[in-house]
Amino acid sequence: MAENQEQERTEQASPRRKEEARKKGQVAKSQEIASVAVLLGCLTYFYFGAAGLVRQIMEMMRRHLRDAGTTVISNDTVQGFVFGVVYDCFIMVFPLLMTVVAAAIAANVIQVGFMFSTEALTPTFSKIDPIKGFRRLFSLKSLAELTKNILKLIIVGYVAYYTVSTEVDNLIPLMHQSVWGITTYFGEVSFKIILRTCWVLIILAALDYMYQRWEFERGLRMTKQEVKDEFKQTEGEPLVKARIRRLQREAARRRMMAKVPKADVVITNPEHLAVALLYEQSGMAAPVVVAKGAGYMAERIREIARKSGVPLVENKPLARILYRTVDVDQVIPENLYRAVAEVLAYVYGLKKRKAAV
């Protein structure tokens, strides 16, 4: 029982899991938002460009009807006529097509941003598996989609019915209107139906997006074991990390010990602490701590200093404060200039006396 609970997907998806899903083209996206965006784009286009589109259509019909009586029918003329009609229709429809494409792209970019996944284009044979297809057909997601479509059809149908029912009294006076007046009236009613439908579809699209996001997040949930495995992959095994840190410390110690023979002086505690100082008058503003250590490390620093001929100076207060406050490869603070200068002066004096002898 405990093992089954352990394998339940109760944990929220990690950022890495979400990023991997995004690379595969798996994102929270609602097709209803794209449909509403396309519908709104078309509605906007017809609202501002319907008059120009009607003029273009009437001009094309007038031109072709005018030339119909003088056109000689042959293979060449029919081919040219068909090509001309197709070309005129394309020119008229092209702005509408661009509006649809722009609205669809904008709807997808708003939902998921700019994304291109080659894995989503790779064919998967599991999608054509009849058994899995049958399971998807009767899955909870399919039932939710069916319920959503039925609900959308009922709501949109009611909105259309309500709009038409309010226009019944205006239908009888249409018999006294011209053809253009009747066409304009039906265009206005159609626009009103589509506009009200858009408002309903916007609400449904928002609800569908929230459902799709919830479904997407639920599908990416992880078991506790998956969370542990991912943490190990990203952060590394504790033993491996400890070994890496140990190797890094050893490398740092070796680099530090290699600088001891170049030091000017090693200040000691005398046994528990050791701090090696280097000062180059030409390139340094103040002395630098090139190595320091306590216990065994202090003993190693003193041993290397003796072998390399670096002077050892016992100064307990100075050794303690340097060890506690100054890191390796760091310049000593100003409040220690005088104390360190006295030590260096003493060391330089020893070197001069040895050189004189």
Side-chain angles (χ1 to χ4, degrees), residues 252-260 290-292 297 301 328:
R253 282 197 293 267
R254 286 195 296 269
R255 290 194 299 268
M256 183 180 69
M257 292 301 184
K259 297 178 182 178
V260 174
V290 294
K292 69 176 184 177
M297 290 299 299
I301 292 174
V328 177

Side-chain angles (χ1 to χ4, degrees), residues 294-314:
Y296 174 75
M297 290 299 299
E299 182 181 348
R300 289 284 299 142
I301 292 174
R302 291 195 301 270
E303 181 182 349
I304 295 174
R306 291 192 189 99
K307 292 181 180 180
S308 304
V310 178
L312 297 176
V313 176
E314 180 182 338

Side-chain angles (χ1 to χ4, degrees), residues 84-98:
V85 171
V86 172
Y87 178 78
D88 291 339
C89 292
F90 175 78
I91 294 299
M92 288 185 293
V93 177
F94 182 76
L96 177 60
L97 295 177
M98 290 296 99

Side-chain angles (χ1 to χ4, degrees), residues 119-168:
E119 294 188 30
L121 301 177
T122 305
T124 54
F125 294 100
S126 60
K127 293 183 179 180
I128 60 177
D129 188 347
I131 298 177
K132 293 184 178 180
F134 185 78
R135 291 177 181 174
R136 287 195 298 267
L137 184 63
F138 294 95
S139 63
L140 179 62
K141 184 176 182 179
S142 299
L143 180 61
E145 290 292 329
L146 177 62
T147 304
K148 179 188 68 177
N149 291 329
I150 293 175
L151 180 64
K152 182 172 67 174
L153 183 62
I154 292 174
I155 295 176
V156 172
Y158 175 76
V159 170
Y161 170 77
Y162 175 78
T163 304
V164 173
S165 62
T166 58
E167 299 290 337
V168 172

